[in-house]
Amino acid sequence: MASEKVQARIEQAPTAQAAQASRPQSQQGAEPADKEASQEQPQSPTPQPGAWARFSAWFAKTFPHSRHAVIGGVCGLVVALLLFSIGLFKTAVIAVLVIIGVACGQYADGDPKLVNLVRELMKRR
């Protein structure tokens, strides 16, 4: 008994327009216009919103008047988990590095609010 490799190839089915365009000219004009109109399908479905847009809509609907309070609570939970799991010093280092990252991002965007705040604090002393 000989063993043979079987290779399968899956191809996408052609759309109605692609099938019509691939037919010869003599066959294209043979169908009545009302039959073509009944077989037409929408070109592209309405694009679905991405995961972030769906999450934002859910968040706005679920917490309509307390958005900042919920975000602050989640941030507090993350800080508490970090403090208990990795300790105070490592959590402080992470916080400082995040602030430096935000400052670098603001500077790259052309809106250096944190850099200006640090400059003002240094001038006062």
Side-chain angles (χ1 to χ4, degrees), residues 7-8 34 79 106 124:
Q7 292 182 349
D34 59 314
V79 169
Q106 286 180 349
R124 291 181 186 172

PDB file of all heavy atoms in Angstrom, residues 7-8 34 79 106 124:
ATOM      1  N   GLN A   7      -3.147  16.994  -1.088  1.00  0.00           N
ATOM      2  CA  GLN A   7      -3.080  18.427  -0.877  1.00  0.00           C
ATOM      3  C   GLN A   7      -4.407  19.032  -1.282  1.00  0.00           C
ATOM      4  O   GLN A   7      -4.918  18.770  -2.362  1.00  0.00           O
ATOM      5  CB  GLN A   7      -1.962  19.052  -1.703  1.00  0.00           C
ATOM      6  CG  GLN A   7      -0.589  18.636  -1.236  1.00  0.00           C
ATOM      7  CD  GLN A   7       0.484  19.327  -2.048  1.00  0.00           C
ATOM      8  OE1 GLN A   7       0.226  19.946  -3.058  1.00  0.00           O
ATOM      9  NE2 GLN A   7       1.725  19.199  -1.585  1.00  0.00           N
ATOM     10  N   ALA A   8      -4.962  19.820  -0.392  1.00  0.00           N
ATOM     11  CA  ALA A   8      -6.225  20.494  -0.675  1.00  0.00           C
ATOM     12  C   ALA A   8      -5.966  21.986  -0.756  1.00  0.00           C
ATOM     13  O   ALA A   8      -5.114  22.529  -0.062  1.00  0.00           O
ATOM     14  CB  ALA A   8      -7.233  20.205   0.427  1.00  0.00           C
ATOM     15  N   ASP A  34     -33.936  42.890 -15.271  1.00  0.00           N
ATOM     16  CA  ASP A  34     -34.591  42.725 -13.975  1.00  0.00           C
ATOM     17  C   ASP A  34     -34.003  41.525 -13.217  1.00  0.00           C
ATOM     18  O   ASP A  34     -33.961  41.518 -11.998  1.00  0.00           O
ATOM     19  CB  ASP A  34     -36.097  42.571 -14.134  1.00  0.00           C
ATOM     20  CG  ASP A  34     -36.472  41.376 -14.993  1.00  0.00           C
ATOM     21  OD1 ASP A  34     -35.861  41.204 -16.065  1.00  0.00           O
ATOM     22  OD2 ASP A  34     -37.369  40.634 -14.593  1.00  0.00           O
ATOM     23  N   VAL A  79      -2.816  50.137  41.426  1.00  0.00           N
ATOM     24  CA  VAL A  79      -1.730  50.551  42.319  1.00  0.00           C
ATOM     25  C   VAL A  79      -1.715  49.669  43.564  1.00  0.00           C
ATOM     26  O   VAL A  79      -0.644  49.234  44.022  1.00  0.00           O
ATOM     27  CB  VAL A  79      -1.857  52.050  42.681  1.00  0.00           C
ATOM     28  CG1 VAL A  79      -0.908  52.429  43.806  1.00  0.00           C
ATOM     29  CG2 VAL A  79      -1.601  52.907  41.468  1.00  0.00           C
ATOM     30  N   GLN A 106       4.116  63.602  25.448  1.00  0.00           N
ATOM     31  CA  GLN A 106       3.588  64.952  25.300  1.00  0.00           C
ATOM     32  C   GLN A 106       4.582  65.845  24.572  1.00  0.00           C
ATOM     33  O   GLN A 106       4.190  66.669  23.737  1.00  0.00           O
ATOM     34  CB  GLN A 106       3.268  65.556  26.672  1.00  0.00           C
ATOM     35  CG  GLN A 106       2.040  64.990  27.321  1.00  0.00           C
ATOM     36  CD  GLN A 106       1.779  65.618  28.675  1.00  0.00           C
ATOM     37  OE1 GLN A 106       2.619  66.339  29.223  1.00  0.00           O
ATOM     38  NE2 GLN A 106       0.617  65.340  29.226  1.00  0.00           N
ATOM     39  N   ARG A 124      10.847  78.148  40.720  1.00  0.00           N
ATOM     40  CA  ARG A 124      10.392  78.683  42.004  1.00  0.00           C
ATOM     41  C   ARG A 124      11.402  78.458  43.117  1.00  0.00           C
ATOM     42  O   ARG A 124      11.421  79.150  44.093  1.00  0.00           O
ATOM     43  CB  ARG A 124       9.053  78.056  42.388  1.00  0.00           C
ATOM     44  CG  ARG A 124       7.935  78.488  41.520  1.00  0.00           C
ATOM     45  CD  ARG A 124       6.644  77.869  41.963  1.00  0.00           C
ATOM     46  NE  ARG A 124       5.585  78.183  41.017  1.00  0.00           N
ATOM     47  CZ  ARG A 124       4.385  77.651  41.057  1.00  0.00           C
ATOM     48  NH1 ARG A 124       4.084  76.762  41.977  1.00  0.00           N
ATOM     49  NH2 ARG A 124       3.482  77.985  40.179  1.00  0.00           N
TER      50      ARG A 124
END
